[in-house]
Amino acid sequence: MNNKSNETRIIVLGGLGEVGKNMYCIMYNDEIIVIDAGVSFAEEELHGIDYVLPDYSFLKLNESKIKALFITHGHEDHIGAIPFLLQSVNIPAIYAPNQAKELIRLKLEDRNIRYDNLYAYDENTKVKFKYMSVEFIRTTHSIPDSHGIAITTPDGRIVTTGDFKFDLTPIGPMADLYKMAVLGNEGVDLLISDSTNALNEGMSISESRVDDALTDIFDKYKYNRIIIATFASNIYRLKHIFESCYQHHRKICVFGRSMENNIDISIKGGYIDHKELLITAEEANNLKPGEVTILCTGSQGEPLAALSRIADGTHKQIKLRPDDIVIFSSSAIPGNALSISKTINKLYLKGVKVFTNMTINNLHTSGHANQEELKLMIRLLKPKYLMPFHGDYRMLKQHAELGIECGIKRENTFVLKNGDSLILKNHVITKGESYPNNDIYVDGNRIGEVGSAVLHDRKIMANDGILVVIANIDSQNKRLLIKPNITTRGFVLVNENEELLKKIETAATNIINNKLKEKNVIFNDIKSQLTSDLTTYILELTGRKPIVLPIILDVKKDPENKN
């Protein structure tokens, strides 16, 4: 690695050109601090993959320099990779705000990972190392204890916002605008800022407006059972629902493990009151409809989530009633619109009334800053350089343009990609070298074992299926004993395609017999010939390209048998 000692490097490992797997590092001499360790969730084409992680190669090579991992807040795209990271790299300490700390603790317990150096910080905490120091700025987001982080290095100051918005009437604490302004006046060299909503004009809706919309529904439907699906991590939304249920004399039944965990942590941490409202499913079924609110996961139409099972009628404990009110207090994550629509249609077929953010505008608000809020952050911190972060490239590009509108020189904005780096030297930033940035896939308990070749095969099997050719060969006499057996999965229905399978059987027979005529032929040669020739033949016949799997069985003929 070509690293000069007396300069500060910012290395991005994840979170650029995507919304997820946020992770980057600040390095000076023999010190590295890591900011966030998130996952992204596998998209549909990544068949069988559970999570996608950043490439940890840089951290492994520089393991002895790592001083600590700092977490901005407790969402999965910022903490979800911690159990996997700890299995790959030695992290001496993790500093996280209280809510995130408890969520991390649960994650590690679930995977039987013991880690003793997990510490909580707040906005008054300062962490100092030999060269760098770290302090924290309270921000507003959809989860409690969200913070920006300011890193002071020998070459200048770097501030990352984490995920944030500006809400002047928040449910939780106000963002610390004063501290932001103080830092801005003292001098900020580089601002690394959340770009998720950089395409949205104006200001985001206040969480209190969502409260008003939900309260109106509670007021109007006093005698109906209310089912609310929202993000389990949106603690301030959950807090308001608890408050509304308390005011409307309703009990709360919770479904979904992530929802239960977040509520439990939030009650213990003092973020949510009225623990006495929680009841079991059995108790909920014995109360009048107007006395019950059901809180559940499934706002994104996830097939196994509680709301989807309720809509399907397969939930073991809750059955829909015709006068139920179902509220989607969320917006669709890109790619989930079809799944959500399917769930809503099933609910309508059951006769229930459904409210979404499309029918009532204020049923959800984002936890991320719109354009005017991004400009306000820039004006408060007054950075010399801007690196948009956390978003697709069009979001990053738009955020850079907002920075230019606010007086940052165009050449001082950096729209980077994962693996890129910046060099900060005496308050001047230049583009640095690139580092490995391959996505690492998690498949069950396997980390990094599934590569592009396996995913390619899975995609083919998902689209075109698999065709198995089983051939019994007498290797001593170099002859095929019987016609090959052809079986398929996901390619064609056997009973409806007998003629096609007969053609494939004949082709396989000819390929094997021709190959057996050659001198010194081995089974691997036959398999290779079957795979290549049948793949081409089937593509010509059907326009499809299933995976061809030849199985050759050596059946040696008994020498005593003359027949």
Side-chain angles (χ1 to χ4, degrees):
M1 183 186 65
N2 180 26
N3 179 46
K4 296 177 182 178
S5 296
N6 296 316
E7 63 185 21
T8 301
R9 289 193 173 228
I10 302 95
I11 301 103
V12 183
L13 300 183
L16 294 181
E18 59 190 353
V19 178
K21 73 177 189 351
N22 297 285
M23 189 179 211
Y24 51 103
C25 311
I26 314 296
M27 177 168 64
Y28 183 88
N29 277 3
D30 59 351
E31 285 185 357
I32 292 175
I33 63 173
V34 186
I35 311 292
D36 286 333
V39 296
S40 62
F41 294 97
E43 296 177 355
E44 190 174 343
E45 63 266 21
L46 296 177
H47 302 283
I49 298 301
D50 300 311
Y51 307 108
V52 185
L53 309 177
D55 192 324
Y56 299 142
S57 301
F58 168 78
L59 294 176
K60 289 178 182 177
L61 284 172
N62 295 276
E63 193 170 32
S64 63
K65 298 179 182 180
I66 299 170
K67 300 302 177 186
L69 166 63
F70 291 90
I71 300 298
T72 57
H73 66 284
H75 279 153
E76 283 294 294
D77 56 338
H78 296 260
I79 68 169
I82 290 175
F84 308 110
L85 176 65
L86 292 179
Q87 293 175 59
S88 304
V89 182
N90 178 43
I91 304 294
I94 299 175
Y95 293 87
N98 187 64
Q99 181 84 3
K101 173 179 173 284
E102 292 304 308
L103 289 168
I104 293 166
R105 182 182 57 78
L106 276 181
K107 283 183 175 299
L108 298 181
E109 285 179 1
D110 285 347
R111 292 184 174 267
N112 295 315
I113 297 172
R114 179 175 176 175
Y115 188 79
D116 297 325
N117 300 324
L118 179 58
Y119 306 107
Y121 72 74
D122 61 27
E123 62 266 30
N124 299 313
T125 304
K126 289 188 178 181
V127 182
K128 294 185 178 181
F129 302 104
K130 182 180 178 181
Y131 299 111
M132 295 188 280
S133 63
V134 181
E135 56 187 313
F136 308 95
I137 314 153
R138 188 176 64 247
T139 58
T140 300
H141 190 41
S142 55
I143 191 170
D145 291 337
S146 296
H147 291 78
I149 298 178
I151 305 102
T152 302
T153 78
D155 290 302
R157 177 177 280 150
I158 301 163
V159 174
T160 176
T161 64
D163 292 359
F164 80 98
K165 66 182 289 185
F166 285 113
D167 189 341
L168 302 182
T169 53
I171 302 301
M174 269 285 296
D176 194 341
L177 278 68
Y178 175 75
K179 191 168 187 177
M180 295 174 190
V182 168
L183 287 169
N185 287 332
E186 291 176 353
V188 173
D189 293 285
L190 175 64
L191 173 61
I192 303 173
S193 186
D194 175 14
S195 306
T196 312
N197 281 352
L199 302 176
N200 297 348
E201 295 181 353
M203 299 280 289
S204 60
I205 298 170
S206 170
E207 187 67 33
S208 61
R209 295 276 297 278
V210 178
D211 288 357
D212 294 339
L214 287 171
T215 298
D216 289 343
I217 295 175
F218 274 91
D219 288 340
K220 185 173 180 180
Y221 297 98
K222 295 179 180 177
Y223 304 107
N224 302 70
R225 187 172 64 173
I226 295 176
I227 301 173
I228 304 176
T230 191
F231 295 115
S233 60
N234 196 335
I235 305 304
Y236 292 128
R237 187 74 44 79
L238 300 177
K239 176 182 174 67
H240 171 71
I241 292 167
F242 269 72
E243 294 291 342
S244 292
C245 288
Y246 177 75
Q247 293 167 12
H248 290 82
H249 308 291
R250 287 177 178 264
K251 299 292 186 181
I252 299 172
C253 185
V254 180
F255 292 103
R257 187 163 180 261
S258 60
M259 185 80 76
E260 292 171 359
N261 286 341
N262 273 282
I263 289 174
D264 183 56
I265 290 170
S266 299
I267 289 173
K268 289 176 180 175
Y271 308 108
I272 292 178
D273 298 321
H274 308 300
K275 178 182 179 180
E276 73 279 1
L277 298 182
L278 292 171
I279 58 172
T280 65
E282 184 179 357
E283 290 171 315
N285 287 326
N286 291 327
L287 291 173
K288 295 177 181 178
E291 297 174 344
V292 176
T293 295
I294 293 172
L295 257 178
C296 61
T297 54
S299 65
Q300 299 302 299
E302 304 96 317
L304 299 179
L307 184 61
S308 295
R309 289 184 283 122
I310 291 170
D312 286 333
T314 59
H315 199 285
K316 294 180 180 179
Q317 296 167 297
I318 296 295
K319 303 299 178 186
L320 282 173
R321 302 167 182 171
D323 58 349
D324 281 342
I325 305 296
V326 178
I327 301 170
F328 283 77
S329 187
S330 61
S331 58
I333 294 173
N336 291 345
L338 182 59
S339 298
I340 295 169
S341 179
K342 287 179 179 178
T343 301
I344 291 172
N345 283 333
K346 290 175 184 176
L347 292 167
Y348 272 111
L349 284 170
K350 296 285 172 59
V352 305
K353 192 171 186 64
V354 181
F355 291 102
T356 69
N357 203 38
M358 299 294 290
T359 55
I360 299 178
N361 288 334
N362 294 340
L363 273 181
H364 178 67
T365 183
S366 174
H368 300 272
N370 284 7
Q371 289 182 2
E372 295 306 308
E373 296 156 87
L374 295 175
K375 291 178 186 176
L376 177 55
M377 182 64 80
I378 292 168
R379 293 299 190 187
L380 286 168
L381 289 171
K382 297 185 282 192
K384 184 178 177 182
Y385 297 90
L386 172 66
M387 189 189 93
F389 191 72
H390 196 287
D392 296 337
Y393 285 113
R394 55 181 180 155
M395 301 170 187
L396 305 179
K397 181 66 176 172
Q398 181 59 46
H399 195 170
E401 292 298 324
L402 296 175
I404 294 164
E405 288 178 27
C406 292
I408 299 175
K409 294 178 182 179
R410 184 174 293 276
E411 61 267 26
N412 287 5
T413 62
F414 296 94
V415 177
L416 305 181
K417 61 182 183 296
N418 292 336
D420 286 348
S421 70
L422 297 175
I423 299 171
L424 172 60
K425 178 70 173 176
N426 293 329
H427 307 284
V428 175
I429 293 181
T430 54
K431 183 86 180 292
E433 64 186 288
S434 293
Y435 295 84
N437 67 326
N438 299 309
D439 285 342
I440 306 301
Y441 300 120
V442 179
D443 183 355
N445 291 320
R446 298 185 298 167
I447 304 171
E449 295 179 22
V450 176
S452 57
V454 174
L455 289 176
H456 177 70
D457 285 350
R458 288 182 181 181
K459 185 175 182 179
I460 292 173
M461 283 190 283
N463 293 332
D464 291 333
I466 185 170
L467 182 136
V468 181
V469 181
I470 303 174
N472 294 305
I473 293 176
D474 174 5
S475 61
Q476 288 182 345
N477 297 300
K478 294 183 65 175
R479 67 191 184 95
L480 181 65
L481 295 178
I482 57 174
K483 287 184 178 181
N485 178 265
I486 309 294
T487 60
T488 75
R489 289 292 182 272
F491 172 49
V492 293
L493 290 174
V494 174
N495 294 338
E496 297 177 9
N497 293 274
E498 291 181 3
E499 185 179 346
L500 171 64
L501 294 178
K502 281 287 183 186
K503 289 180 179 179
I504 295 171
E505 178 188 279
T506 300
T509 301
N510 293 335
I511 293 166
I512 294 169
N513 285 332
N514 288 335
K515 203 68 183 169
L516 287 172
K517 292 175 184 177
E518 298 178 6
K519 290 183 178 180
N520 302 319
V521 68
I522 59 175
F523 282 3
N524 281 340
D525 294 337
I526 299 173
K527 288 180 180 180
S528 297
Q529 198 72 46
L530 280 169
T531 300
S532 60
D533 288 5
L534 286 182
T535 298
T536 303
Y537 181 66
I538 293 168
L539 184 62
E540 291 173 355
L541 284 178
T542 67
R544 296 175 67 188
K545 197 176 179 181
I547 287 180
V548 176
L549 180 62
I551 299 174
I552 308 297
L553 301 177
D554 186 2
V555 183
K556 292 184 173 65
K557 192 171 179 61
D558 183 356
E560 297 300 320
N561 187 348
K562 304 297 183 183
N563 296 321

